[in-house]
Amino acid sequence: MKSISIASLLFIASCTTVNSPLKQIGKLSLKEVSGLIYIKGQLYGQEDSGNKSSIYKIGLDGTTQEEIKIVNAKNTDWEDLASDKQGNIYIGDFGNNKNDRKDLAIYRLNADDLSRVSSVISFHYPDQKEFPPKKSNLVFDVEAFLEQNGNFYLFTKNRSKGFNGEVKIYRVPNKAGNHTAELLGTLSTCDNFRKCAITGADLSPDGTKAVLLSGAKVWLITNFGNGNFAKGKLQEFDLGHTSQKEGICFKDNNTLLIADEKDKKEGGKLYEIKLSDLKAK
């Protein structure tokens, strides 16, 4: 019998779902799902940089049902999907690992033609003066956003040296043109990058709840009114499972769908979890 190192046991334990409230419902055909949205009974996903300029219809078993090629947009670094009450879908092309991009954008796909970008919302951060900034100030990457009442809300993925869990929240109007993002405030997660860097977000169908995702946790935001996410009630839930989770969306007001990226023999799965089954920290 081969011996197993302590490091290997710790890695296996970090990836197991034995004690996790997550329920695996499917195995993803796509390798690098970085954003999910569930709208009109259909799950959509997309992949990030280095992949096709497409969004995909995904079955609840994780299989790809249809590829929708976006004919007039390039996937520089697509990191999340959002939708509005009219059924339009938005692609967040704002992945910015090195914090040096000046071409940040959100692409609108009209509900009646998802194959073509109908408008482009470009933006920049008012507090970014250097491209890239110093390693202690790498706070301008975003992998999570949502749309509410004609505005987008972006939640940053802090990549600073000495990660402290600070998440900046910016607002950008849902209107074609070039905008200065408005800094609304900050949230705090934890000081472990792998477990607490924000990688996804969504708004519930009834508009009363928002969720943020990381590799190991979900945060529920309530009592935020019209976009006051920085001052809403924040609850932290540990998923009991650590992986490269990057996609999250509401299936209904109590059910979340979560996807993680494929990494060797781990990940590449679609999960379901009930908010009512989570226990706050």
Side-chain angles (χ1 to χ4, degrees), residues 147-199:
E147 202 274 355
Q148 184 201 38
N149 300 331
N151 287 292
F152 299 107
Y153 296 87
L154 285 64
F155 302 85
T156 62
K157 184 175 185 179
N158 189 337
R159 293 183 176 275
S160 300
K161 183 179 180 181
F163 177 79
N164 64 1
E166 182 181 84
V167 180
K168 289 188 174 186
I169 305 172
Y170 292 93
R171 178 166 59 200
V172 175
N174 184 354
K175 184 178 180 180
N178 192 1
H179 305 281
T180 300
E182 178 185 0
L183 178 60
L184 299 180
T186 62
L187 297 174
S188 182
T189 58
C190 83
D191 60 4
N192 184 311
F193 180 83
R194 185 165 183 252
K195 291 185 175 182
C196 289
I198 298 302
T199 58

XYZ file of all heavy atoms in Angstrom, residues 147-199:
419
model
N -26.875 43.604 -12.007
C -27.619 44.763 -12.501
C -28.850 44.957 -11.634
O -29.561 44.011 -11.309
C -28.046 44.543 -13.954
C -28.355 45.824 -14.744
C -29.788 46.339 -14.586
O -30.600 45.647 -13.936
O -30.104 47.412 -15.125
N -29.090 46.216 -11.228
C -30.283 46.559 -10.460
C -30.776 47.938 -10.861
O -30.043 48.924 -10.779
C -30.002 46.542 -8.949
C -31.255 46.798 -8.102
C -30.939 47.270 -6.699
O -30.018 48.042 -6.492
N -31.727 46.814 -5.739
N -32.021 48.005 -11.317
C -32.696 49.279 -11.579
C -31.880 50.258 -12.424
O -31.738 51.439 -12.095
C -33.093 49.953 -10.262
C -34.039 49.095 -9.440
O -34.807 48.303 -9.982
N -33.986 49.245 -8.127
N -31.309 49.757 -13.514
C -30.608 50.638 -14.444
C -29.171 50.950 -14.093
O -28.561 51.847 -14.697
N -28.605 50.214 -13.138
C -27.199 50.398 -12.789
C -26.525 49.043 -12.607
O -27.171 48.068 -12.216
C -27.048 51.189 -11.487
C -27.383 52.653 -11.652
O -26.664 53.397 -12.323
N -28.473 53.078 -11.037
N -25.222 49.015 -12.887
C -24.407 47.841 -12.590
C -23.650 48.091 -11.292
O -23.211 49.220 -11.024
C -23.395 47.570 -13.707
C -24.013 47.288 -15.037
C -23.957 48.222 -16.054
C -24.665 46.077 -15.278
C -24.528 47.958 -17.288
C -25.238 45.808 -16.512
C -25.181 46.758 -17.515
N -23.474 47.024 -10.523
C -22.693 47.087 -9.291
C -21.569 46.071 -9.396
O -21.815 44.884 -9.595
C -23.592 46.838 -8.084
C -24.635 47.919 -7.931
C -25.858 47.829 -8.598
C -24.365 49.061 -7.182
C -26.798 48.848 -8.503
C -25.307 50.077 -7.075
C -26.521 49.966 -7.740
O -27.455 50.985 -7.656
N -20.344 46.570 -9.301
C -19.148 45.755 -9.488
C -18.461 45.544 -8.143
O -18.299 46.499 -7.360
C -18.175 46.435 -10.455
C -18.496 46.423 -11.949
C -19.765 47.193 -12.280
C -17.328 47.007 -12.750
N -18.042 44.300 -7.890
C -17.383 43.935 -6.641
C -15.966 43.464 -6.978
O -15.791 42.493 -7.709
C -18.172 42.830 -5.941
C -19.602 43.204 -5.640
C -20.597 43.033 -6.602
C -19.951 43.739 -4.410
C -21.910 43.380 -6.338
C -21.270 44.083 -4.125
C -22.256 43.911 -5.098
N -14.968 44.125 -6.434
C -13.600 43.887 -6.881
C -12.994 42.611 -6.307
O -13.368 42.142 -5.237
C -12.676 45.060 -6.500
O -12.625 45.189 -5.076
C -13.155 46.354 -7.119
N -12.040 42.063 -7.062
C -11.204 40.957 -6.610
C -9.851 41.550 -6.245
O -9.039 41.876 -7.114
C -11.060 39.889 -7.693
C -10.277 38.659 -7.239
C -10.268 37.580 -8.308
C -9.581 36.308 -7.804
N -9.591 35.231 -8.833
N -9.629 41.697 -4.981
C -8.421 42.335 -4.462
C -7.216 41.421 -4.680
O -7.185 40.297 -4.199
C -8.627 42.613 -2.968
C -7.535 43.457 -2.359
O -6.431 43.524 -2.854
N -7.861 44.096 -1.242
N -6.217 41.898 -5.413
C -5.008 41.117 -5.680
C -3.773 41.743 -5.036
O -2.641 41.424 -5.400
C -4.797 40.981 -7.189
C -5.859 40.131 -7.874
C -5.573 39.972 -9.355
N -6.530 39.086 -10.013
C -6.425 37.765 -10.058
N -5.397 37.170 -9.490
N -7.340 37.035 -10.675
N -3.974 42.606 -4.071
C -2.862 43.310 -3.449
C -1.962 42.388 -2.646
O -2.416 41.394 -2.071
C -3.392 44.406 -2.516
O -4.164 45.351 -3.226
N -0.682 42.739 -2.590
C 0.242 42.055 -1.706
C -0.200 42.320 -0.271
O -0.488 43.457 0.101
C 1.660 42.575 -1.937
C 2.719 41.882 -1.108
C 4.102 42.429 -1.421
C 5.169 41.743 -0.588
N 6.529 42.279 -0.877
N -0.275 41.269 0.522
C -0.804 41.434 1.873
C -2.319 41.506 1.844
O -2.929 42.384 2.461
N -2.949 40.579 1.109
C -4.410 40.530 0.947
C -5.109 40.631 2.300
O -4.807 39.888 3.232
C -4.787 39.215 0.258
C -6.262 38.997 0.083
C -6.954 39.624 -0.934
C -6.955 38.157 0.946
C -8.314 39.414 -1.109
C -8.315 37.935 0.784
C -8.996 38.569 -0.240
N -6.074 41.574 2.387
C -6.777 41.783 3.648
C -8.289 41.583 3.553
O -9.014 41.817 4.530
C -6.480 43.185 4.190
C -7.019 44.289 3.270
O -7.627 44.003 2.225
N -6.783 45.530 3.646
N -8.772 41.148 2.373
C -10.192 40.864 2.226
C -11.053 42.054 1.888
O -12.281 41.926 1.807
N -10.466 43.212 1.650
C -11.277 44.383 1.309
C -11.837 44.264 -0.109
O -11.118 43.913 -1.046
C -10.457 45.664 1.410
C -11.287 46.917 1.105
C -10.482 48.200 1.186
O -9.822 48.544 0.179
O -10.503 48.845 2.250
N -13.126 44.525 -0.253
C -13.818 44.490 -1.543
C -14.388 45.875 -1.820
O -15.174 46.408 -1.035
C -14.977 43.467 -1.523
C -15.704 43.444 -2.868
C -14.461 42.082 -1.160
N -13.975 46.475 -2.922
C -14.544 47.759 -3.312
C -15.813 47.530 -4.129
O -15.912 46.558 -4.886
C -13.539 48.571 -4.137
C -12.365 49.112 -3.344
C -11.533 50.060 -4.198
C -10.428 50.719 -3.384
N -9.700 51.747 -4.168
N -16.768 48.429 -3.969
C -18.028 48.351 -4.715
C -18.156 49.611 -5.565
O -18.122 50.738 -5.042
C -19.236 48.234 -3.769
C -19.063 47.039 -2.829
C -20.526 48.094 -4.579
C -20.126 46.966 -1.750
N -18.292 49.397 -6.877
C -18.454 50.513 -7.815
C -19.818 50.431 -8.495
O -20.352 49.340 -8.707
C -17.372 50.468 -8.898
C -15.970 50.751 -8.419
C -15.128 49.709 -8.034
C -15.476 52.046 -8.374
C -13.826 49.950 -7.607
C -14.170 52.304 -7.959
C -13.353 51.258 -7.573
O -12.068 51.500 -7.161
N -20.327 51.582 -8.875
C -21.576 51.655 -9.644
C -21.286 52.265 -11.017
O -20.577 53.259 -11.139
C -22.619 52.503 -8.914
C -23.939 52.660 -9.690
C -25.041 53.207 -8.796
N -24.682 54.513 -8.239
C -25.277 55.033 -7.148
N -26.223 54.353 -6.514
N -24.897 56.224 -6.702
N -21.853 51.626 -12.043
C -21.729 52.097 -13.427
C -23.125 52.129 -14.025
O -23.871 51.149 -13.899
C -20.820 51.156 -14.260
C -20.796 51.580 -15.726
C -19.408 51.122 -13.688
N -23.532 53.232 -14.667
C -24.880 53.274 -15.249
C -25.038 52.305 -16.408
O -24.111 52.105 -17.199
C -25.033 54.727 -15.711
C -23.629 55.221 -15.885
C -22.808 54.498 -14.863
N -26.210 51.678 -16.490
C -26.516 50.777 -17.599
C -26.944 51.623 -18.785
O -28.125 51.727 -19.136
C -27.624 49.802 -17.201
C -27.913 48.767 -18.280
O -27.362 48.827 -19.377
N -28.785 47.823 -17.973
N -25.950 52.220 -19.400
C -26.193 53.145 -20.504
C -24.966 53.150 -21.395
O -23.828 53.236 -20.906
C -26.458 54.551 -19.957
C -26.808 55.581 -21.006
C -27.096 56.926 -20.342
C -27.450 57.988 -21.381
N -27.720 59.308 -20.734
N -25.175 53.023 -22.699
C -24.049 53.014 -23.637
C -23.222 54.277 -23.479
O -23.744 55.365 -23.224
C -24.565 52.895 -25.065
N -21.906 54.131 -23.614
C -21.023 55.283 -23.496
C -19.825 54.949 -22.630
O -19.624 53.806 -22.220
N -19.018 55.973 -22.353
C -17.824 55.819 -21.533
C -18.059 56.520 -20.200
O -18.293 57.726 -20.159
C -16.618 56.418 -22.246
C -15.304 56.029 -21.593
O -15.287 55.293 -20.610
N -14.199 56.536 -22.123
N -17.993 55.774 -19.114
C -18.399 56.303 -17.810
C -17.260 56.230 -16.794
O -16.386 55.364 -16.875
C -19.587 55.499 -17.271
C -20.743 55.426 -18.204
N -21.641 56.461 -18.363
C -21.150 54.439 -19.055
C -22.568 56.114 -19.248
N -22.272 54.897 -19.689
N -17.343 57.130 -15.827
C -16.487 57.055 -14.656
C -17.239 56.265 -13.598
O -18.328 56.660 -13.175
C -16.156 58.459 -14.108
O -15.476 59.206 -15.109
C -15.273 58.351 -12.872
N -16.692 55.122 -13.207
C -17.344 54.316 -12.177
C -17.375 55.102 -10.866
O -16.449 55.853 -10.553
C -16.599 52.999 -11.990
N -18.456 54.927 -10.109
C -18.598 55.622 -8.829
C -18.290 54.655 -7.686
O -18.923 53.614 -7.556
C -20.023 56.149 -8.686
C -20.294 56.857 -7.375
C -21.747 57.261 -7.213
O -22.547 56.982 -8.129
O -22.071 57.858 -6.162
N -17.317 55.001 -6.864
C -16.971 54.176 -5.711
C -17.999 54.408 -4.605
O -18.156 55.523 -4.108
C -15.568 54.516 -5.211
C -15.081 53.749 -3.969
C -15.051 52.254 -4.233
C -13.702 54.250 -3.543
N -18.704 53.343 -4.216
C -19.777 53.462 -3.230
C -19.339 53.125 -1.815
O -19.951 53.575 -0.848
C -20.939 52.540 -3.617
C -21.608 52.793 -4.956
C -22.737 51.786 -5.173
C -22.143 54.221 -5.040
N -18.309 52.307 -1.684
C -17.873 51.881 -0.362
C -17.151 50.563 -0.453
O -16.766 50.117 -1.546
N -16.978 49.905 0.681
C -16.247 48.645 0.729
C -16.947 47.634 1.629
O -17.763 47.986 2.485
C -14.815 48.852 1.274
O -14.879 49.340 2.614
C -14.039 49.828 0.409
N -16.618 46.364 1.387
C -16.988 45.261 2.265
C -15.704 44.564 2.692
O -14.655 44.723 2.057
C -17.887 44.254 1.545
C -19.255 44.724 1.066
C -19.932 43.617 0.255
C -20.136 45.139 2.234
N -15.799 43.744 3.723
C -14.636 42.989 4.180
C -14.986 41.512 4.250
O -16.020 41.136 4.805
C -14.178 43.495 5.549
O -13.022 42.808 5.982
N -14.118 40.655 3.678
C -14.352 39.206 3.692
C -13.425 38.556 4.725
O -13.738 38.509 5.897
C -14.160 38.610 2.292
O -12.833 38.896 1.804
C -15.188 39.168 1.318
N -12.279 38.037 4.306
C -11.286 37.510 5.242
C -9.916 37.666 4.597
O -9.807 38.081 3.451
C -11.592 36.055 5.615
S -10.995 34.818 4.424
N -8.859 37.340 5.327
C -7.509 37.603 4.822
C -6.860 36.411 4.132
O -5.644 36.385 3.942
C -6.610 38.100 5.950
C -6.461 37.101 7.095
O -7.006 35.985 6.983
O -5.807 37.449 8.098
N -7.674 35.427 3.711
C -7.177 34.272 2.971
C -7.621 34.412 1.522
O -8.804 34.269 1.209
C -7.724 32.980 3.592
C -7.167 31.726 2.940
O -7.158 31.579 1.716
N -6.715 30.786 3.758
N -6.673 34.681 0.601
C -7.033 34.980 -0.791
C -7.789 33.831 -1.446
O -8.819 34.049 -2.079
C -5.762 35.297 -1.597
C -6.021 35.629 -3.047
C -6.394 36.902 -3.430
C -5.909 34.645 -4.029
C -6.650 37.207 -4.763
C -6.157 34.934 -5.364
C -6.533 36.228 -5.724
N -7.292 32.608 -1.296
C -7.912 31.464 -1.981
C -9.340 31.241 -1.505
O -10.205 30.852 -2.285
C -7.075 30.203 -1.761
C -7.591 28.986 -2.539
C -6.554 27.881 -2.583
N -7.037 26.765 -3.378
C -7.424 25.598 -2.887
N -7.396 25.396 -1.572
N -7.831 24.632 -3.676
N -9.592 31.526 -0.242
C -10.910 31.273 0.317
C -11.849 32.478 0.257
O -13.065 32.311 0.333
C -10.785 30.813 1.771
C -10.172 29.433 1.931
C -10.197 28.978 3.381
C -9.683 27.550 3.508
N -9.749 27.076 4.924
N -11.301 33.698 0.107
C -12.148 34.882 0.293
C -12.063 35.946 -0.797
O -12.704 36.991 -0.662
C -11.843 35.515 1.643
S -12.444 34.539 3.046
N -11.293 35.731 -1.866
C -11.298 36.686 -2.979
C -12.584 36.499 -3.781
O -12.959 35.385 -4.127
C -10.077 36.474 -3.859
N -13.269 37.592 -4.108
C -14.600 37.529 -4.716
C -14.518 37.214 -6.205
O -13.805 37.875 -6.965
C -15.354 38.852 -4.493
C -15.550 39.099 -3.001
C -16.705 38.829 -5.212
C -16.294 38.002 -2.273
N -15.288 36.193 -6.624
C -15.222 35.703 -8.008
C -16.574 35.668 -8.723
O -16.628 35.324 -9.899
C -14.648 34.272 -8.029
O -15.470 33.420 -7.217
C -13.222 34.249 -7.489
